[in-house]
Amino acid sequence: MDNKIARKKQELRRLKGRLLLSLALTVALAVCCTVTAYAASVTVDLGSGDGTGASFGVLEALLITLLLALVPSLLLMMTCFTRIIIVLSFLRNALGTQQSPPNQVLVGLALFLTLFIMWPTFTEINETAYQPYRAGELTSQQALDRAETPLKGFMIRQVYANDLNLFLTLSNQKTGQEIAMPDTQEGLLELDMQVVVPAFITSELKRAFMMGFLIYIPFLIIDMVVSSTLMSMGMVMLPPSMISLPFKIMMFVLVDGWGLVVSTLVTGFH
């Protein structure tokens, strides 16, 4: 009985010590946060609202923050990432392997292939726009104009003429202007990004779906052969996909499918 009472007293002392230690740490953290907040306090003057001074700086900062949030999406849609990830998704669906490879692997492969394909374009942007801007030789607007040229040239090389004509026509109807289809590369580079980007995305979707269709054909033939074989053998209750999956994986490995898909994607960007 005395031993139990002694143990309870020891436990109470331990709990009391832990409680006091926690309170001390909490007070210390509160004091540190208060001192840091006072030391790092910044007064922001929004100005008088007349469009000058501090108010213009705050609006410009908000606009830059918004653009930075949209930059990843814009870059993904203005590079070869769209075609690559769609083709890889079609390949996985054609194989019928459900979630293998997982989405993280496909996205990672698509990102590194995008970096590999777009490296000459990124290098040109760095040399002609970013480095001069960093050295103070160009303003931000001039740097953006110079950075547009290599990226626009890459997109125009992938655009179908029909898609470019479509968005030129839509732009003419919207603005009421008459902009003809340029005949030279210099004239194409002078087109607005609002025409080139949607035409590029549309062309990329067309190419990706065409490649997906061609990828599906051999796997579809295997499914048809396996299904007809099972039907002729009277195995109606046996799922054909379960039997055809090993044959599709074996064929894909034997023909070096990953190498063929990757090489076709890389060489497809001329």
Side-chain angles (χ1 to χ4, degrees), residues 137-175:
E137 301 174 0
L138 299 175
T139 63
S140 58
Q141 185 61 41
Q142 292 173 342
L144 287 175
D145 293 338
R146 286 196 180 184
E148 278 186 2
T149 303
L151 194 59
K152 193 185 296 184
F154 170 80
M155 290 189 290
I156 287 175
R157 287 193 296 270
Q158 316 303 324
V159 171
Y160 287 124
N162 294 334
D163 296 328
L164 196 57
N165 281 324
L166 170 63
F167 285 97
L168 277 175
T169 303
L170 294 176
S171 178
N172 292 338
Q173 293 176 357
K174 180 180 178 181
T175 59

Side-chain angles (χ1 to χ4, degrees), residues 87-106:
V87 170
L88 293 179
S89 300
F90 270 117
L91 175 61
R92 185 176 63 181
N93 292 333
L95 280 171
T97 54
Q98 301 300 324
Q99 294 298 320
S100 183
N103 293 329
Q104 292 84 350
V105 174
L106 294 184

Side-chain angles (χ1 to χ4, degrees), residues 72-131:
S73 300
L74 292 176
L75 286 179
L76 291 181
M77 299 302 292
M78 294 165 63
T79 60
C80 54
F81 179 83
T82 302
R83 186 197 303 186
I84 295 173
I85 193 63
I86 291 177
V87 170
L88 293 179
S89 300
F90 270 117
L91 175 61
R92 185 176 63 181
N93 292 333
L95 280 171
T97 54
Q98 301 300 324
Q99 294 298 320
S100 183
N103 293 329
Q104 292 84 350
V105 174
L106 294 184
V107 172
L109 178 60
L111 285 174
F112 276 96
L113 287 178
T114 301
L115 182 62
F116 179 78
I117 296 170
M118 299 293 297
W119 188 255
T121 303
F122 292 154
T123 302
E124 186 177 355
I125 292 174
N126 179 60
E127 293 176 353
T128 59
Y130 178 70
Q131 292 299 334

Side-chain angles (χ1 to χ4, degrees), residues 47-266:
S48 59
D50 56 354
T52 60
S55 61
F56 179 76
V58 171
L59 293 176
E60 189 177 17
L62 291 175
L63 181 60
I64 292 175
T65 304
L66 178 62
L67 290 177
L68 288 176
L70 295 176
V71 160
S73 300
L74 292 176
L75 286 179
L76 291 181
M77 299 302 292
M78 294 165 63
T79 60
C80 54
F81 179 83
T82 302
R83 186 197 303 186
I84 295 173
I85 193 63
I86 291 177
V87 170
L88 293 179
S89 300
F90 270 117
L91 175 61
R92 185 176 63 181
N93 292 333
L95 280 171
T97 54
Q98 301 300 324
Q99 294 298 320
S100 183
N103 293 329
Q104 292 84 350
V105 174
L106 294 184
V107 172
L109 178 60
L111 285 174
F112 276 96
L113 287 178
T114 301
L115 182 62
F116 179 78
I117 296 170
M118 299 293 297
W119 188 255
T121 303
F122 292 154
T123 302
E124 186 177 355
I125 292 174
N126 179 60
E127 293 176 353
T128 59
Y130 178 70
Q131 292 299 334
Y133 172 74
R134 188 177 180 182
E137 301 174 0
L138 299 175
T139 63
S140 58
Q141 185 61 41
Q142 292 173 342
L144 287 175
D145 293 338
R146 286 196 180 184
E148 278 186 2
T149 303
L151 194 59
K152 193 185 296 184
F154 170 80
M155 290 189 290
I156 287 175
R157 287 193 296 270
Q158 316 303 324
V159 171
Y160 287 124
N162 294 334
D163 296 328
L164 196 57
N165 281 324
L166 170 63
F167 285 97
L168 277 175
T169 303
L170 294 176
S171 178
N172 292 338
Q173 293 176 357
K174 180 180 178 181
T175 59
Q177 300 177 357
E178 290 296 333
I179 302 176
M181 181 72 174
D183 297 330
T184 61
Q185 183 72 15
E186 291 76 11
L188 291 172
L189 292 176
E190 293 178 358
L191 293 175
D192 293 335
M193 293 292 282
Q194 63 180 357
V195 175
V196 177
V197 172
F200 170 74
I201 296 173
T202 306
S203 300
E204 288 297 284
L205 290 175
K206 287 182 179 180
R207 285 193 175 91
F209 274 74
M210 181 60 68
M211 294 180 69
F213 168 74
L214 296 176
I215 288 174
Y216 255 100
I217 291 178
F219 299 109
L220 182 61
I221 292 175
I222 293 177
D223 287 333
M224 293 174 61
V225 171
V226 171
S227 179
S228 60
T229 302
L230 293 177
M231 287 287 291
S232 63
M233 296 176 62
M235 300 180 181
V236 183
M237 302 300 294
L238 189 63
S241 59
M242 185 176 66
I243 305 299
S244 62
L245 180 59
F247 291 100
K248 290 191 289 187
I249 294 176
M250 180 181 65
M251 182 199 72
F252 188 71
V253 172
L254 289 177
V255 300
D256 191 19
W258 287 111
L260 291 175
V261 171
V262 170
S263 63
T264 302
L265 285 171
V266 172

